[in-house]
Each structure stands twice: as C-alpha cells, then as structure tokens.
Amino acid sequence: MITIVDYGSGNIEAFVNIYKRLNIPCEIASTPEQILKAEKLILPGVGAFDETMRILKDSGILNALNKQVLENKTPVIGICVGMQILSKRSDEGQLKGLGWVDAEVKKFDTAKLIQKPHLPHMGWNTFQHEKNNPLLKGLNPEKGFYFLHTYYFSCNNQEDVLTSTVYGERYTSAINHENIYGVQFHPEKSHSNGVQLLKNFANL
C-alpha cells in the first residue's frame, strides 16, 4: 500500500490516478494514525520550504513521519519541495528542514544561466545516472522529466546522489539515503518516465 501524505501541498489526485492505472493500492493520509500504518510514503510538494515545514508541524503529523521513517525505516520519497524538506535547511526559508539527509537547499546562481527567463527552472530536462538503484530501473535519461523549481538539493555526501541534471551547472536531481528517496522533478507530470519511477518506488 502506497500512502500519499496530504498536508495541503501537491497534486495528490495525479498520484492516485497513476497508481489506479497501475493497479497498485494507494491511499491518502492526513492523520498521524494513518501515517503510522503506512508501508511506503510519498511526500508531494508544491510551494515554499517554510510553508511546507510549518504545515507539517501544525498538522500534527511531523512526529509520526519521524517515527515511521527514522525508527521504523519505512521507505519514503519526497517530490520537488517534498524532496527539499528532507534536508537540514534551505536558502529559501528560515525554518529547519526534516534533516533526514545531510544536505542543504541552495538557489541557482543566475550568473551561470544562459536561458531566459533564468528562474524558475521550468519544463523538460534530461538526467544522468550517478549510481545504480532500483528506483531508476527502466528510465530513459534522454526523455527526462518535468521540472519546476528555483532551488536545488545539495548533498554533503556524494554517495546519496542518484541522478544529476544540468541547468547552468550540474546539480542533484534524485537522491537516496537508506530508506529515504527524493526527486526534484515531478514524476506525476512526466509521462512514461514518471509512471515507471512511481511503479519502481512501489516495488522497492
């Protein structure tokens, strides 16, 4: 069972529709009790870093997430801002992140960007495998994924980096640390590659 965490951030129905087409059971969770029963967790994310962290705290589900992910080692994947909050901090906000991964979130250096408008990084882009992982099975790097972001995830441990993407400079676009995964792109908007990635996560 895939549990999609509903904290008011992200197009949750898009994930539900994909898993329905794949005949993979999924549910939407918005309470600590639901999260503590989860077998796999998805943290969708559309919005700002501080706003997302504040909602997690105010909703009462933060402690349940920490218990499931850090103590019970439940597989989790953060998407876009849902990935960025896995870090310790962000240039975008003042609040601390979840700190599940040794990383910071940084803003793109516009001096290195040729394409205009410079930010956000929006649209389709390719990726490069940095290491093998079951999450990446069957993905086509040249088809790429759909991106929409102004800040990027910067790992302090290169071993956590799964894929990289170039936008002005090469940056991390997918990560894995133990049972924790994150992708900067939007698989729910990325056609066949996105469907395959969500299927791969369900099969971990």
Side-chain angles (χ1 to χ4, degrees):
M1 176 74 74
I2 305 294
T3 298
I4 306 162
V5 182
D6 181 5
Y7 48 97
S9 181
N11 185 7
I12 290 175
E13 288 302 322
F15 294 96
V16 172
N17 290 337
I18 289 172
Y19 279 123
K20 280 184 177 178
R21 292 202 302 271
L22 293 170
N23 291 316
I24 294 173
C26 70
E27 64 177 2
I28 298 171
S30 57
T31 68
E33 292 76 19
Q34 290 173 303
I35 289 167
L36 290 172
K37 295 177 182 176
E39 297 172 356
K40 290 189 175 74
L41 289 160
I42 293 179
L43 296 176
V46 176
F49 188 95
D50 277 5
E51 177 190 12
T52 304
M53 285 304 304
R54 193 173 291 113
I55 291 170
L56 280 179
K57 292 176 181 178
D58 292 347
S59 66
I61 63 177
L62 181 57
N63 289 339
L65 284 171
N66 280 327
K67 183 175 180 62
Q68 276 297 84
V69 173
L70 300 181
E71 295 182 28
N72 298 338
K73 299 298 180 182
T74 301
V76 61
I77 186 167
I79 293 167
C80 198
V81 175
M83 172 194 185
Q84 293 182 359
I85 62 172
L86 303 177
S87 68
K88 294 180 175 179
R89 58 164 299 278
S90 173
D91 285 350
E92 184 182 15
Q94 302 297 320
L95 297 181
K96 290 182 179 179
L98 294 170
W100 294 348
V101 180
D102 185 10
E104 295 89 32
V105 174
K106 301 178 180 180
K107 188 173 184 178
F108 282 112
D109 182 357
T110 55
K112 298 180 180 179
L113 301 176
I114 299 173
Q115 183 177 335
K116 293 183 179 181
H118 291 152
L119 293 174
H121 172 208
M122 181 171 62
W124 291 84
N125 205 340
T126 58
F127 67 93
Q128 175 179 301
H129 289 82
E130 298 296 339
K131 63 189 295 187
N132 292 324
N133 188 281
L135 186 71
L136 308 178
K137 180 182 178 182
L139 300 184
N140 184 334
E142 291 308 308
K143 280 188 177 180
F145 288 98
Y146 183 84
F147 292 80
L148 178 58
H149 62 116
T150 299
Y151 299 82
Y152 65 93
F153 201 88
S154 178
C155 289
N156 292 320
N157 184 352
Q158 189 64 26
E159 283 298 307
D160 293 338
V161 179
L162 288 185
T163 70
S164 62
T165 293
V166 175
Y167 187 65
E169 57 189 310
R170 185 169 295 280
Y171 72 93
T172 297
S173 50
I175 61 105
N176 168 230
H177 179 76
E178 298 178 352
N179 56 308
I180 301 163
Y181 296 82
V183 295
Q184 183 58 67
F185 44 81
H186 286 275
E188 78 279 15
K189 298 180 181 179
S190 297
H191 306 322
S192 59
N193 261 356
V195 171
Q196 182 64 47
L197 183 136
L198 292 173
K199 182 179 179 181
N200 291 344
F201 178 68
N203 292 332
L204 288 176

